[in-house]
Amino acid sequence: MDGGTLRGLVCMIIGAAIVASASPSLAAGAAEWTVQTSSDIVLFVQGDVDASVPLALIEQSLSEIVAYWGIDANVVRNARGSASPLCSVSLYSDWELMAREFGRFDISGMARACGVNPKAPTGAPAPGPCAVSPFAVIASGYPTGDWLAIVAHEVAHVLQWRTWHFGLNLTWMEDDLFREGMAEWTRYALGSGDFGADSQSLVSFWLRAGGTLDAVPFYLEYDVGASLVERCVRLGGPQKLWAICSETTAIPIGDTGVNWYKPIDFARSFSEAYGIDWDSYLADWATEARLTDVPRGTEIRDRYMRDAFNLRGELLRPLLSGESCAALEEIKQAVVDRTATSADLDYAETLLRGAPEVDVEIDVEALSAREETLKGYALQVDGSRDDVVNVLRLGMLARRGEADAQEYAAAFAEAVNSYVSAAVSLPSGF
């Protein structure tokens, strides 16, 4: 994903990350980092650990990704220069610390170009992640979470940036779905998760309810994208698909020796490779996916994602008691286990609507760290601008001691509950 936007988030907390754990604890400035380097990866690991262990797993995952998609290692090497690693990877054991440092409470990982927001982990040894490679991957959940699957998704994005020439002449929606879908399918292909249960069932449920590709909701972007890619892989294999996406035409410009790479016509290349035109493929995909079985619990899981229970819970965590947070975690696990009921989600809604809870001490700093994420979602919804401005105003005054923290907390909670779930239901690409 592009770390500078709220589109295409990897392992989004509102979606796939309901299967990942996140530690809310934060010891500001207390992170210890260990660095380990290979020819492909420079790894920064939070905590006093043997960094060679995760590095070896990431290197193995990278080799599997390259082999699966049939990526020409020489092309990747030439694209980055012989002395530059593919990317840096920063593994956080403290999710809250990662979220605060990057102002992103809607992710469990991301990939970014280092020219954009070149932040480094607090306390990371020099040279920092962005000093060693033009691309950086950030992932949470080490050592007990789903960090390796997150890294696989993000490394796939880095390989896209290294080998694809963007501008596939698809619609904005199709282009976004394809990039995120191929990264998401990568983690499934490497054995992380159950594609049928985790993604395809949600896509089938959505299509049966009247969903169409011209209006894929934000919370389903990864799942729909992965479903599109899975069918391509099933029909023609992974290497054919990556080859189409990395196809280009080099056009020399004058006598300078500089080449301009003309993007392919994806629809034409797809038709030539698969023997079916792109629009017909999409129609056949929808028909097939609509007929996929929808297991018990899918409707509840769709509602959980559509109403952004997990993201709202993370944004409102500083305003909820320990008991309420524990109850929300139990409901989240029940959604994963497909044992949750509508009554469970109704109870979760009651807890979230009850923020700020009585007798909870307001942590102004923790709320302030969450403002950027709230703002990014809320401003996509018509009518929210005055409310967002009011939250930001109250936050600024509360940090100065010039406004009541309780008033700030109430306005923050009201905005979260009013706008976040509405925003994630908007079409992907907002």
Side-chain angles (χ1 to χ4, degrees), residues 11-22 95 105-108 303-317 325 328-329 331-333 345 348 352 416 420:
C11 295
M12 287 163 45
I13 287 177
I14 60 172
I18 64 173
V19 302
S21 62
W95 176 83
F105 285 79
D106 52 355
I107 60 170
S108 52
R303 177 186 165 191
Y304 186 85
M305 295 168 64
R306 182 181 68 244
D307 290 346
F309 280 97
N310 206 41
L311 177 55
R312 285 192 289 150
E314 294 300 347
L315 290 173
L316 296 175
R317 184 179 289 273
C325 290
L328 290 171
E329 287 297 316
I331 292 170
K332 177 171 68 174
Q333 187 59 50
L345 297 195
L352 294 173
V416 167
V420 172

Side-chain angles (χ1 to χ4, degrees), residues 18 45 79 121 193 207 216 223 245 254 282 312 326-327 348 350 355 387 415:
I18 64 173
V45 187
L207 287 169
V216 178
D223 299 299
C245 292
L282 294 178
R312 285 192 289 150
T350 298
D387 289 347

Side-chain angles (χ1 to χ4, degrees), residues 5 7 44 69 97 105 120 150 166 189 207 209 219 244 291 316 367 396 419:
T5 71
R7 301 184 303 104
F44 298 82
W69 290 113
L97 176 62
F105 285 79
I150 298 170
F166 282 13
L207 287 169
Y219 74 91
I244 291 174
L291 295 174
L316 296 175
L367 283 188
M396 178 183 66
Y419 301 120

Side-chain angles (χ1 to χ4, degrees), residues 23-296:
S23 169
S25 63
L26 177 67
E32 298 291 337
W33 291 87
T34 303
V35 63
Q36 186 81 22
T37 303
S38 72
S39 59
D40 291 310
I41 303 292
V42 177
L43 178 66
F44 298 82
V45 187
Q46 186 183 15
D48 183 15
V49 300
D50 180 0
S52 65
V53 176
L55 179 63
L57 293 174
I58 294 171
E59 287 280 301
Q60 178 182 343
S61 180
L62 173 60
S63 296
E64 292 172 355
I65 294 170
V66 169
Y68 179 80
W69 290 113
I71 301 169
D72 188 337
N74 289 324
V75 172
V76 176
R77 215 169 278 118
N78 292 337
R80 73 182 197 240
S82 58
S84 174
L86 175 69
C87 64
S88 64
V89 178
S90 299
L91 297 183
Y92 284 79
S93 58
D94 191 326
W95 176 83
E96 176 89 6
L97 176 62
M98 183 191 77
R100 290 199 190 187
E101 286 194 338
F102 292 93
R104 299 293 299 273
F105 285 79
D106 52 355
I107 60 170
S108 52
M110 64 179 175
R112 63 198 177 97
C114 282
V116 179
N117 192 22
K119 294 182 180 179
T122 298
C130 275
V132 296
S133 174
F135 299 108
V137 166
I138 298 96
S140 62
Y142 183 79
T144 59
D146 203 22
W147 64 273
L148 190 56
I150 298 170
V151 170
H153 178 115
E154 300 302 347
V155 166
H157 279 314
V158 173
L159 289 167
Q160 288 173 347
W161 292 339
R162 293 290 196 183
T163 62
W164 294 11
H165 295 278
F166 282 13
L168 298 177
N169 297 327
L170 294 168
T171 67
W172 179 277
M173 177 76 72
E174 292 168 348
D175 188 274
D176 208 40
L177 289 172
F178 235 70
R179 298 180 196 287
E180 290 301 335
M182 289 184 78
E184 186 69 356
W185 175 251
T186 295
R187 75 176 185 88
Y188 285 126
L190 268 58
S192 175
D194 182 334
F195 168 71
D198 296 344
S199 285
Q200 191 74 329
S201 60
L202 288 167
V203 175
S204 179
F205 178 82
W206 168 71
L207 287 169
R208 292 183 186 189
T212 60
L213 274 179
D214 60 351
V216 178
F218 186 53
Y219 74 91
L220 278 181
E221 178 182 21
Y222 284 14
D223 299 299
V224 174
S227 181
L228 286 170
V229 169
E230 184 274 339
R231 188 168 190 267
C232 288
V233 168
R234 186 156 34 89
L235 293 180
Q239 299 186 10
K240 178 185 291 187
L241 186 58
W242 192 278
I244 291 174
C245 292
S246 56
E247 180 184 331
T248 189
T249 301
I251 302 176
I253 301 179
D255 298 324
T256 63
V258 176
N259 288 339
W260 172 63
Y261 290 93
K262 179 182 179 181
I264 65 166
D265 183 332
F266 179 86
R268 184 181 64 187
S269 295
F270 184 90
S271 178
E272 292 172 352
Y274 286 86
I276 183 174
D277 68 79
W278 177 238
D279 289 339
S280 296
Y281 170 82
L282 294 178
D284 292 346
W285 161 82
T287 298
E288 181 182 89
R290 195 178 290 112
L291 295 174
T292 302
D293 289 339
V294 176
R296 177 180 61 85

